[in-house]
Amino acid sequence: MIESVLERLDTSSLLAGGSLFHMRCSAHILNLIVKDGLDEIKAGVGKVRDSVAYWTATPKREERFEETARQLRNPNTKKLGLDCVTRWNSTYLMLETALLYKDVFTRLSHKEPQYKTLPSPEEWEFAKEVCGKLKPFYKATEIFSGTKYPTANTCFINILKFEKYWDVIHGIVGVSTVLDPRYKLEVLEFYFDKLFGSRALVEVDITNFQLILKSIA
């Protein structure tokens, strides 16, 4: 649709000749990346999910879980919550909370004959690793979803490692970074050197940024 619209427009009247006409949603791209990853590893966190589902199935079970946590002097106060298949961040929150109550699940497995889905030590370790991998995505999504501050200038350092997104929009995201007084061109040059090595100066293309900034002004 974007290509069809551009064919019918005089691109000379558009900012930067229309090169910035199509902007992908960074939060949506992160969502797609994480969902693809979770599809590959969902079996590995199945026991944790089943355990959370068991102990949140009824108010009585929830009460017993909380009572056992108190008996074990577990200091955490977060409530268990089952994840939703359409919201990957709920999977992160589910794993993060379940890991806090690992000892509670273990104790209850000895007291509740019907509870048969206790994760093995290896499965707990896998869940911990997955949670650690999801945390940066969760934090980035929180930043992108802010409503009380500008978000375009926060994209650069959060999405530059995702080629599918970065290759298309790094020009305009670079501009928003340059306009942020905390970053300026120095941040672009630093990270582009890490990403592109000897091609860094070409990729930064200061002249191009100056033209875009001029057209914005």
Side-chain angles (χ1 to χ4, degrees):
M1 178 59 70
I2 295 294
E3 292 177 357
S4 296
V5 171
L6 282 173
E7 289 174 358
R8 290 163 173 76
L9 290 175
D10 177 10
T11 54
S12 64
S13 65
L14 298 175
L15 181 67
S19 63
L20 311 178
F21 192 71
H22 184 197
M23 282 292 292
R24 287 170 168 80
C25 173
S26 54
H28 179 60
I29 293 296
L30 286 183
N31 181 57
L32 294 178
I33 293 171
V34 176
K35 287 183 71 175
D36 283 349
L38 288 177
D39 285 342
E40 296 295 326
I41 62 171
K42 57 185 177 183
V45 297
K47 284 283 190 69
V48 176
R49 181 179 288 109
D50 291 343
S51 291
V52 172
Y54 183 89
W55 291 109
T56 58
T58 66
K60 186 174 181 179
R61 288 180 184 175
E62 287 182 339
E63 184 179 338
R64 186 172 186 186
F65 189 92
E66 292 170 1
E67 176 60 30
T68 302
R70 286 192 292 271
Q71 291 173 359
L72 292 174
R73 300 183 185 278
N74 188 302
N76 299 290
T77 58
K78 289 186 177 181
K79 292 181 68 69
L80 290 179
L82 193 61
D83 62 341
C84 173
V85 293
T86 59
R87 292 174 55 239
W88 72 263
N89 56 321
S90 66
T91 300
Y92 166 74
L93 293 172
M94 177 191 72
L95 294 176
E96 182 188 48
T97 303
L99 286 164
L100 298 175
Y101 295 106
K102 181 180 173 181
D103 58 337
V104 180
F105 287 108
T106 301
R107 172 63 68 86
L108 287 168
S109 68
H110 300 302
K111 300 169 63 177
E112 176 62 60
Q114 292 182 324
Y115 171 47
K116 302 181 183 298
T117 57
L118 177 70
S120 66
E122 294 75 18
E123 288 169 325
W124 278 121
E125 189 60 32
F126 183 75
K128 181 179 180 180
E129 185 175 347
V130 170
C131 192
K133 299 294 185 184
L134 289 178
K135 187 173 182 178
F137 291 94
Y138 180 77
K139 294 298 183 183
T141 301
E142 277 193 319
I143 292 172
F144 293 161
S145 302
T147 58
K148 296 183 178 180
Y149 53 85
T151 57
N153 59 312
T154 67
C155 292
F156 179 80
I157 58 177
N158 285 289
I159 56 88
L160 57 88
K161 57 185 171 288
F162 304 123
E163 184 176 348
K164 179 177 180 180
Y165 183 67
W166 176 253
D167 276 357
V168 180
I169 55 84
H170 75 262
I172 188 62
V173 171
V175 170
S176 66
T177 305
V178 172
L179 292 173
D180 190 321
R182 297 170 299 173
Y183 299 140
K184 301 288 188 180
L185 278 170
E186 286 79 4
V187 170
L188 263 67
E189 292 168 346
F190 174 80
Y191 280 110
F192 274 42
D193 183 60
K194 302 290 186 184
L195 289 168
F196 304 111
S198 60
R199 294 192 297 113
L201 291 179
V202 177
E203 294 290 340
V204 171
D205 193 357
I206 295 176
T207 302
N208 187 42
F209 283 122
Q210 288 175 338
L211 288 173
I212 295 176
L213 287 170
K214 184 177 180 180
S215 65
I216 291 174

